[in-house]
Amino acid sequence: MDYNKAASEVIRLIGGKENIVSAAHCATRLRMVIADNSKVNKKELEDAEGVKGVFEASGQLQIIYGTGVVNRVYDEFIKIAGISAATKEEVKSAAAKKGNPLQRFIKTLGDIFVPIVPAIVASGFLMGIMETLNFLINNGYVSLSADNSLFVLASLFANTAYVFLPVLIGFSAAKVFGGNQYLGGVIGMIMVHPNLQNAWTMTGGVEKYLDVLGLWKVPLVGYQGHVISVIIAVFVMATIEKWLHKRVPAIFDLFVTPLVSVFVTGFLTLTVIGPVFNFVEAGIINGIQALIAIPFGIGSLVMGTLYAPTVVTGIHHMYTIIDLGQIKEFGCTYWLPLASAANIAQGAAALAVALKTNDKKLKSMALPSSLSAFMGITEPAIFGVNMRFFRPFICACIGGGCGAMFASITSLGATGTGVTGIFGILLCLNAPMKYLLMFLIAAGVSFALTWIFGYKNKEEQAENNKADVKAVETAAETGKNAETAAEKAETAENTADGITVFAPLTGKVVPLSATGDPTFEAEVLGKGVAIEPAKGEVVAPFDGVVGALMGHAVGLEGENGVELLIHVGIDTVNLQGKHYTSHVTEGQQVKAGELLMTFDMEAIQAAGYKTVTPVIVSNTDDYACVEGETGKQISAGEMLLKLK
């Protein structure tokens, strides 16, 4: 892969370097903030060199390359664009400034909850395990004492993150809002102080009330499991803190600012913010539960169907609030199984595409994307595969809706949040068979619909065109378009024995397995053979156009319809064109036998690289058979491959 060419192509397709606001990369993706998204040619970007998927999320244009490739493309990208490297945080900050108020709100929620998800997941898993053990013990399926030290400690650990959730949220939210994180944690501690009635353990109703300046009374109840009120409280605290920092003299700032910030916020939280937003939060949770509880699972069918589109828009970042609110209110979340059904369905649709397609590049992307979705990470499947062809995405939405409907009808609930897909069953150990059936329904419907209606490979598309072909043949038989029919018949006769591709190098013909490169061996880029060169020259094997020129490799588009890749050496991209001399330019018309490239075989081998040269038919899927005889010596210009 020519990383410089790949980066140049990206810059061209996103509207030029002047359209770049900021750019960074993670382990697999090039992440950019674009000034004007209307200038981005997304369709061509998806087909650009090395690109495995393109999508927009959280105000960023993200291009998937994969591990080990993205960093090299990025290095060339910032050189060509003339920009400085940015961190992911800087790119996120730039993206946040572009979004509308709703997008910024959703991003804020995501920034608050993503860091604390591991703690929530750990507690959720442990709660599920402990509930299962309690069920087995109480029904006599296992003999285990509840006084066992491990059992006692595990029970203590299980719900810790949920009991002290306001502390975690307070700490994380303070960072997002620009306040002192430890003061944010203190606000969370105030909301679950032991002097308040425990919101989860009180059974006789509210026992303590506070008379607020003789104006109104508020219940002195803790906010275990609450979310919205904590976020609002910490936002108020951060606002007060920043306001004081600007006005309090430095000599007093250390004492005055924290004291006033915590006291004022704490007072407002327990007297106004907590009671008001407790009511708001309860209304939201009960409203969502009412939708889920619509008879025959109709509400869940609709929400399960629409879940994936909300992932596309980024709204799903706020769903943690629903999960945590339902756990507080009902002891489990009925929302997570809906989300899990939707994610599983997207994975099944991507799997159907992977198994059905004959496009090696698409297959290599769809298969791991499917596995990722089954693990709960759906972005690669949604943006890299399903949305790209759209119909698989729709089929997956329907499958997700069916799985969600079953979950609702059977009242499937999860004891925690943060994990969906295969491992989501660990949060539903109270009803594992229900979860398994939901999984099979969501995946089965999605896979079947995608296989039948959602994706057609090239053979099926050709089959669909048979009617048009038959119409042409009928017209020829009746004397219409006779000349065209005769020309087609002549062409068919001339190509009855297939297309011959001649050797571009002199040397020994060996199978692709001799290259030692897994990509070539697996025929990911197409079928063909390799040549161990005896001479450092590459010539054109047919008339055509130089479609790609990458220093160590050349791509040709023949007048005969053959697309050929001649890759001189293995891993020689690392030489960055050193020891290679091109004698043609990209886009140039060439004749069979014309010199394309020379290379210094000894220098390349001395640098530690093999010179064995794969000769690949890039559009292999256009032919029923690609044959080549190996184990023989061949001269440039002699028959190398036969295509039928």
Coordinates of all heavy atoms in Angstrom, one line a residue, residues 11-12 14-22 33-36 39 80-81 83:
I11 N -7.3 13.4 1.2 CA -7.4 14.8 1.2 C -8.2 15.4 0.1 O -9.0 16.3 0.2 CB -6.0 15.4 1.2 CG1 -5.3 15.1 2.6 CG2 -6.0 16.9 1.0 CD1 -3.9 15.5 2.7
R12 N -8.0 14.7 -1.1 CA -8.8 15.2 -2.3 C -10.3 14.9 -2.1 O -11.1 15.8 -2.4 CB -8.3 14.4 -3.5 CG -9.1 14.7 -4.8 CD -8.5 14.0 -6.0 NE -8.6 12.6 -5.9 CZ -9.7 11.9 -6.2 NH1 -10.8 12.5 -6.7 NH2 -9.7 10.6 -6.1
I14 N -12.0 14.7 0.6 CA -12.7 15.4 1.7 C -12.8 16.9 1.4 O -13.2 17.7 2.3 CB -12.0 15.2 3.1 CG1 -10.6 15.8 3.1 CG2 -12.0 13.7 3.5 CD1 -9.9 15.7 4.4
G15 N -12.4 17.3 0.2 CA -12.6 18.7 -0.2 C -11.3 19.5 0.0 O -11.4 20.8 0.0
G16 N -10.2 18.9 0.1 CA -8.9 19.6 0.1 C -8.5 19.9 1.6 O -9.3 19.8 2.5
K17 N -7.2 20.2 1.7 CA -6.6 20.5 3.1 C -7.2 21.7 3.7 O -7.3 21.8 5.0 CB -5.1 20.6 3.0 CG -4.6 21.6 2.0 CD -3.1 21.5 1.9 CE -2.5 22.5 0.9 NZ -1.0 22.4 0.8
E18 N -7.8 22.6 3.0 CA -8.4 23.8 3.6 C -9.7 23.4 4.3 O -10.3 24.2 5.0 CB -8.6 24.9 2.5 CG -9.6 24.5 1.4 CD -8.9 23.7 0.3 OE1 -7.7 23.5 0.4 OE2 -9.7 23.4 -0.6
N19 N -10.2 22.2 4.0 CA -11.5 21.8 4.6 C -11.3 21.0 5.9 O -12.2 20.5 6.5 CB -12.3 20.9 3.6 CG -13.8 20.9 4.0 OD1 -14.3 21.8 4.5 ND2 -14.4 19.7 3.6
I20 N -10.0 20.9 6.3 CA -9.7 20.1 7.5 C -9.6 21.1 8.7 O -8.8 22.1 8.7 CB -8.3 19.4 7.4 CG1 -8.4 18.5 6.1 CG2 -8.0 18.6 8.6 CD1 -7.0 17.9 5.8
V21 N -10.4 20.8 9.8 CA -10.3 21.6 11.0 C -9.3 21.0 11.9 O -8.4 21.7 12.5 CB -11.7 21.6 11.7 CG1 -11.5 22.4 13.0 CG2 -12.7 22.4 10.8
S22 N -9.3 19.6 12.1 CA -8.4 18.9 13.0 C -8.4 17.5 12.6 O -9.3 17.0 12.0 CB -8.9 19.1 14.4 OG -8.0 18.5 15.3
V33 N -12.2 16.3 11.9 CA -13.3 17.3 12.0 C -13.2 18.1 10.7 O -12.1 18.7 10.4 CB -13.1 18.2 13.2 CG1 -14.3 19.2 13.2 CG2 -13.2 17.3 14.5
I34 N -14.3 18.1 10.0 CA -14.3 18.8 8.7 C -15.1 20.1 8.8 O -16.1 20.2 9.4 CB -15.0 17.8 7.6 CG1 -14.3 16.5 7.6 CG2 -15.1 18.5 6.2 CD1 -12.8 16.6 7.2
A35 N -14.6 21.1 8.1 CA -15.3 22.4 8.1 C -16.6 22.3 7.4 O -17.6 22.8 7.9 CB -14.4 23.5 7.5
D36 N -16.6 21.7 6.2 CA -17.9 21.7 5.4 C -18.1 20.2 5.0 O -17.4 19.8 4.0 CB -17.8 22.6 4.2 CG -19.1 22.6 3.4 OD1 -20.0 21.9 3.8 OD2 -19.2 23.4 2.5
K39 N -18.7 18.9 1.3 CA -17.6 18.7 0.3 C -17.0 17.3 0.3 O -16.2 17.0 -0.5 CB -16.6 19.8 0.5 CG -17.0 21.2 0.3 CD -15.9 22.2 0.6 CE -16.3 23.6 0.4 NZ -15.2 24.6 0.6
I80 N 1.2 16.1 4.1 CA 0.6 16.7 2.8 C -0.3 17.8 3.2 O -0.3 18.8 2.5 CB -0.2 15.6 2.1 CG1 0.8 14.4 1.6 CG2 -0.8 16.1 0.8 CD1 0.1 13.2 1.1
A81 N -1.1 17.6 4.2 CA -2.1 18.7 4.6 C -1.4 19.9 5.2 O -2.0 21.0 5.3 CB -3.1 18.1 5.6
I83 N -0.6 20.2 8.4 CA -1.2 20.5 9.7 C -0.4 19.8 10.8 O 0.4 18.9 10.5 CB -2.6 20.1 9.8 CG1 -2.8 18.6 9.6 CG2 -3.5 20.8 8.8 CD1 -4.2 18.0 9.8

